[in-house]
Structures are given as C-alpha cells and as structure tokens.
Amino acid sequence: RKESSAASDVYKRQGVMAESSFTVGGVKNQLVYGFDVSRSQLSQQAIGTSWTTCTGTQYCELFPKTNYSIFGAYVQDDIRIGKLSVIPGLRYDSYELDPKASARYDAQANANGQPAVRSKDNALSPRLAFLYEVTPAFVPYAQYARGFRAPSPHEVNSYFNNVGVPNQSYMQIANPNLKAETSNSYEIGLRGKVDLADSCLLYTSPSPRDKRQ
C-alpha cells in the first residue's frame, strides 16, 4: 500500500506594483509597473505499510527536494489620444528549478534512467491593445498578448513505477527535457459601462506555441 505526502516551505514571496500618470505633448499616459518573485523549497515522500526498502519500485521520494524560483517584472502604458487608447506592455519571466542531491531519490531514478536534472529559462512577453471609446457603453477593442508558463518541479523530475501490483498497476514518468510553454493570443471584442454595471463581449483566438520536447 502506498500513500504520499507533500511538503512546501515557501520562505520568500513578494510583489510590488506602482502607477504613474503624466502628460507628454498633450497625450495622457498611465504607467503601471512592478515585479513579483517567489522562492520555494519543495519535497514529496511516499509511505506505506508494505514498504521495507527504498530500492527498485519502492520509491520513498516521488521527486527530489527542489529549490524552485520564479521571477517576473512588467511595465504597461495606457496612452490616451482623444477617444483612442493604445496600451503597449512588456513582461519578463524567468524560473530556475534546482533539485538537490538525495540518496533515496537518486539511487532509484538513476537505476531507471530518470536522473534528476536542473532546468531554467526566461522570456519576454509583449502585449498590445487598441480601444476606441465611441461612447462609454460602446468600446470596441483588439488585443495581442504573448504568454509564458514555467514547468513545475513535478513535471520535470518525478518517477514512480507501480506496474505489476494487483489492482493498482500504474507508472508515473516525468520529462527531464521539458521546457517552458509559450503562447500567442488574439482578442477582439466590445466593452462598455451601462449605469453601474460593466459589460463585455469578446472573441479570442489562442495560438499556443509549445516548446516542450
């Protein structure tokens, strides 16, 4: 019988956001900028009444103890020219996934061809939107945005082989070559304010670009 327990010790997580409004040549600008960062220490163990060793398929750790860091910084400017708003933005993302040496996990994973690996990547993600306020209740808009998603420690480093066990045969295999996902999305729609309520009608067309291997 196998049971699993997960532990996460997040010892640093913070973010800062600021806004600035200014006018240049009669054009109004509303600037939003900031950053967010987190650093976690993750681990997961498996326990069971029938487990006597930590070799072969009896995995005492489903993935190695891992330091997982994520950082993001962004800036966006809402430029108002008459009834037209042009909103360019840019975000920077990076992550680092750093597994620590673990006698329990390494012996099992190496024997099965799944050694723990380190992973890191970064990307710039632009955004551009156009809005035209015909009336406060009728604001057509179009937007392009690029997305970024970092892989989780469990997706990159984890392995468990329970094949052959009656009534609960399965295998869990991670992808040590997994990279971050990126995507491109396009959106058109209508926004507006009627009395005290906001309304929105939109059409989106996501175009994911998967860098996973």
Side-chain angles (χ1 to χ4, degrees):
R1 184 173 64 89
K2 179 183 75 70
E3 298 176 355
S4 64
S5 61
S8 174
D9 180 17
V10 180
Y11 55 88
K12 186 175 182 181
R13 183 175 183 176
Q14 62 183 10
V16 174
M17 185 185 74
E19 295 185 15
S20 301
S21 297
F22 56 92
T23 301
V24 178
V27 177
K28 295 181 179 179
N29 293 258
Q30 184 173 4
L31 197 65
V32 178
Y33 48 94
F35 73 90
D36 46 76
V37 60
S38 68
R39 185 172 173 84
S40 306
Q41 193 172 64
L42 306 170
S43 64
Q44 185 174 23
Q45 297 181 349
I47 57 176
T49 55
S50 62
W51 290 39
T52 56
T53 67
C54 295
T55 60
T57 61
Q58 293 191 352
Y59 274 54
C60 295
E61 290 184 353
L62 302 186
F63 68 86
K65 295 178 181 178
T66 303
N67 289 336
Y68 188 43
S69 302
I70 300 176
F71 174 79
Y74 56 90
V75 60
Q76 174 181 290
D77 191 10
D78 187 345
I79 305 169
R80 187 68 181 262
I81 308 171
K83 293 186 175 183
L84 175 66
S85 291
V86 181
I87 309 176
L90 185 65
R91 180 180 176 91
Y92 171 80
D93 288 285
S94 69
Y95 80 92
E96 182 174 359
L97 190 158
D98 186 16
K100 299 303 179 184
S102 169
R104 285 183 171 183
Y105 181 86
D106 291 344
Q108 301 157 155
N110 290 334
N112 288 280
Q114 288 284 329
V117 299
R118 183 185 179 199
S119 176
K120 65 178 182 178
D121 199 1
N122 62 82
L124 287 172
S125 303
R127 172 180 181 256
L128 182 62
F130 297 91
L131 299 86
Y132 190 83
E133 185 178 324
V134 180
T135 68
F138 187 76
V139 184
Y141 72 94
Q143 174 179 270
Y144 161 77
R146 186 169 175 82
F148 176 89
R149 189 187 81 87
S152 70
H154 194 269
E155 292 172 324
V156 176
N157 294 315
S158 65
Y159 187 86
F160 181 79
N161 185 357
N162 210 38
V163 174
V165 179
N167 302 321
Q168 53 177 340
S169 180
Y170 66 95
M171 180 181 290
Q172 173 182 299
I173 303 176
N175 183 356
N177 296 315
L178 196 64
K179 305 300 181 183
E181 293 179 4
T182 60
S183 63
N184 295 295
S185 64
Y186 304 85
E187 182 177 310
I188 57 174
L190 298 172
R191 295 179 180 177
K193 293 183 179 180
V194 180
D195 294 330
L196 298 179
D198 294 339
S199 60
C200 181
L201 175 65
L202 60 88
Y203 169 77
T204 61
S205 176
S207 175
R209 178 188 174 196
D210 199 339
K211 292 173 62 179
R212 296 184 174 206
Q213 300 177 358

